[in-house]
Amino acid sequence: MKEVTDILKAYSTAKASGKKTALATVVKVEGSSYRQPGARMLVTEDGILTGAISGGCLEGDALRKALLAIHQKQNKLITYDTSDESDSDFGVQLGCNGIVHILFEYIDECAVCNPIYLLEQSVAERKEAVVLTLFSLERNTVQIGTVLVYREDLVISQRTDLKALHVAFKEVLYSKSSIIKKIQLEDHEHEALIEYIPLPVSLVLAGAGNDAQPLVKMANLLGWEVLVGDGRATHSTAKRFPEAKQILVTKPLQLVENSSIDSRTFFVLMTHNYKYDLEVLKLLLETDCIYIGILGPKTKLNRMFDDLSAEGIVVTKAQLDRIYGPIGLDIGAETSEEIALSVVAEIKAVMEGKTANSLKHKKNKIHPATNGIKNT
């Protein structure tokens, strides 16, 4: 998500300066690769790159291909075989043992539904979306490119010949995973990267103390949207939290009510005000929030459960599974920055359904053989 927003900002800057651009998108991977289908990079005519399509090994040649697409004003599909050890640029230095297909799209500012416009629409609302990119591995075939954005209540596209894919769009939204599907268009076989665009991550911090500042900075670095709420007007200020999307001086009830809680919303309770944190916890137990992190020792959490029980509130097993206290991964964190790192890492692990073990001990590949993309 952050890559898309960075690309949109870079495009806006380039457009304001009158610079032409091209968008490079990883559309298919065979074998291993540093980036997966859906990874993007914007290239301006003066060589400024935003985003990434590899670990850095392909960007140099990709820049040349993007500039060619800008010069010729047409889309191009380029295949990089990183498993070829005879290739000094991509084989020996990379060692990924994969084939990466990258689509380069010239951005025509006059086109109503150009790729940048469609990316803008995919993140315009806090709703899951699908982005459709059409490409062909056949030589001398016109590369169609990014043509459609789909949400349950909206289809944005100028093409009228893609209704057969609507069932696949719904499948992608339901499974929350991208697929590649073959489709016959204009007498040629094309492949459709039907890409799932998740909701942006929303991190809500109950607490505006000094130890919240590095957490906000780290979350912002990942592109997460951060809401900071605290009852102290002296602490909840834009000067102290310039990276936060929203800052509130508020009571617990208003903090929860002002948070759009969905499957990508994560709460961290760190006000250092026991009663404030307890009230927020009580309110969150009645929501579907999947992560309620509580800063402090286990004794504090047990006290909270005792106080809730005294009020007649029994924390169920399902609710307990959503509570993370003490918060964070066990990495030996002590300083505020280290604690922020452990918290961000734990939230990411919960988000992805991972156990947060060291990759050193992982027996299988980091990414599945299909690179997380189902071919149908």
Side-chain angles (χ1 to χ4, degrees):
M1 183 63 69
K2 183 177 187 299
E3 188 167 68
V4 171
T5 55
D6 286 347
I7 284 173
L8 294 177
K9 290 178 183 177
Y11 174 76
S12 178
T13 300
K15 183 179 179 181
S17 301
K19 299 176 183 177
K20 300 298 182 182
T21 59
L23 184 68
T25 304
V26 177
V27 291
K28 188 174 184 178
V29 171
E30 301 169 59
S32 300
S33 176
Y34 186 84
R35 296 302 307 272
Q36 305 306 306
R40 293 180 173 84
M41 180 177 73
L42 185 76
V43 181
T44 64
E45 62 182 327
D46 57 346
I48 296 176
L49 310 180
T50 303
I53 53 171
S54 76
C57 51
L58 302 181
E59 271 70 6
D61 188 75
L63 170 59
R64 292 188 286 272
K65 298 298 191 298
L67 293 178
L68 182 62
I70 292 173
H71 177 72
Q72 296 181 344
K73 296 184 179 181
Q74 61 182 215
N75 299 343
K76 295 182 176 297
L77 184 78
I78 304 297
T79 298
Y80 295 96
D81 187 351
T82 63
S83 65
D84 184 1
E85 294 189 359
S86 65
D87 192 323
S88 60
D89 289 329
F90 310 126
V92 176
Q93 295 179 355
L94 183 61
C96 283
N97 296 317
I99 299 174
V100 185
H101 304 279
I102 298 177
L103 179 66
F104 295 87
E105 298 178 83
Y106 166 67
I107 306 302
D108 182 358
E109 298 175 3
C110 297
V112 176
C113 285
N114 68 50
I116 294 296
Y117 173 79
L118 293 173
L119 286 181
E120 287 177 342
Q121 297 308 305
S122 74
V123 297
E125 296 184 30
R126 190 173 177 81
K127 293 183 179 180
E128 298 170 308
V130 167
V131 171
L132 174 64
T133 303
L134 300 172
F135 62 98
S136 176
L137 301 183
E138 295 181 2
R139 290 191 174 186
N140 302 320
T141 301
V142 173
Q143 300 297 334
I144 298 176
T146 307
V147 294
L148 180 145
V149 168
Y150 174 89
R151 289 197 296 268
E152 287 188 342
D153 59 346
L154 180 69
V155 176
I156 302 175
S157 179
Q158 286 195 304
R159 296 187 69 100
T160 59
D161 54 352
L162 301 172
K163 292 184 179 179
L165 291 174
H166 283 211
V167 172
F169 298 159
K170 294 180 180 180
E171 176 188 341
V172 165
L173 282 182
Y174 178 78
S175 65
K176 301 184 186 299
S177 59
S178 304
I179 64 173
I180 293 177
K181 189 176 183 68
K182 294 185 184 298
I183 182 173
Q184 197 74 18
L185 287 173
E186 301 170 354
D187 298 324
H188 290 281
E189 183 179 77
H190 288 77
E191 296 192 47
L193 171 60
I194 306 176
E195 182 188 357
Y196 173 68
I197 307 296
L199 298 171
V201 177
S202 176
L203 177 63
V204 183
L205 299 188
N210 291 345
D211 54 351
Q213 291 175 311
L215 181 53
V216 173
K217 291 178 181 178
M218 288 188 189
N220 178 70
L221 186 64
L222 294 172
W224 298 358
E225 298 177 349
V226 184
L227 186 161
V228 177
D230 196 301
R232 298 170 291 182
T234 55
H235 287 61
S236 294
T237 66
K239 184 177 180 179
R240 285 171 52 79
F241 297 96
E243 300 89 358
K245 181 177 182 180
Q246 189 175 7
I247 303 170
L248 300 175
V249 179
T250 182
K251 295 180 179 179
L253 178 60
Q254 286 70 44
L255 175 62
V256 175
E257 288 181 341
N258 277 277
S259 305
S260 299
I261 299 177
D262 51 43
S263 61
R264 302 268 283 183
T265 303
F266 301 83
F267 264 81
V268 174
L269 281 52
M270 54 186 306
T271 64
H272 301 284
N273 181 323
Y274 177 81
K275 291 185 178 180
Y276 194 109
D277 285 353
L278 180 63
E279 186 62 26
V280 174
L281 174 60
K282 187 192 306 184
L283 294 166
L284 290 178
L285 289 176
E286 301 304 316
T287 71
D288 295 326
C289 183
I290 65 171
Y291 180 97
I292 306 169
I294 303 175
L295 184 70
K298 197 76 173 181
T299 53
K300 173 186 175 181
L301 183 61
N302 290 335
R303 180 188 170 193
M304 285 179 153
F305 291 152
D306 290 341
D307 287 346
L308 290 174
S309 179
E311 294 183 41
I313 301 173
V314 178
V315 181
T316 66
K317 173 64 166 59
Q319 291 172 329
L320 189 60
D321 288 343
R322 299 189 284 120
I323 297 173
Y324 292 78
I327 194 172
L329 298 182
D330 184 7
I331 60 172
E334 184 175 347
T335 67
S336 296
E337 291 77 11
E338 292 168 347
I339 292 171
L341 176 62
S342 74
V343 171
V344 166
E346 181 177 68
I347 292 174
K348 177 62 177 176
V350 171
M351 188 189 313
E352 302 298 339
K354 300 296 183 180
T355 56
N357 292 325
S358 173
L359 289 175
K360 173 182 179 180
H361 304 299
K362 190 176 180 68
K363 295 181 179 179
N364 300 321
K365 293 182 177 180
I366 298 175
H367 300 291
T370 58
N371 300 292
I373 303 294
K374 178 182 177 183
N375 289 272
T376 62

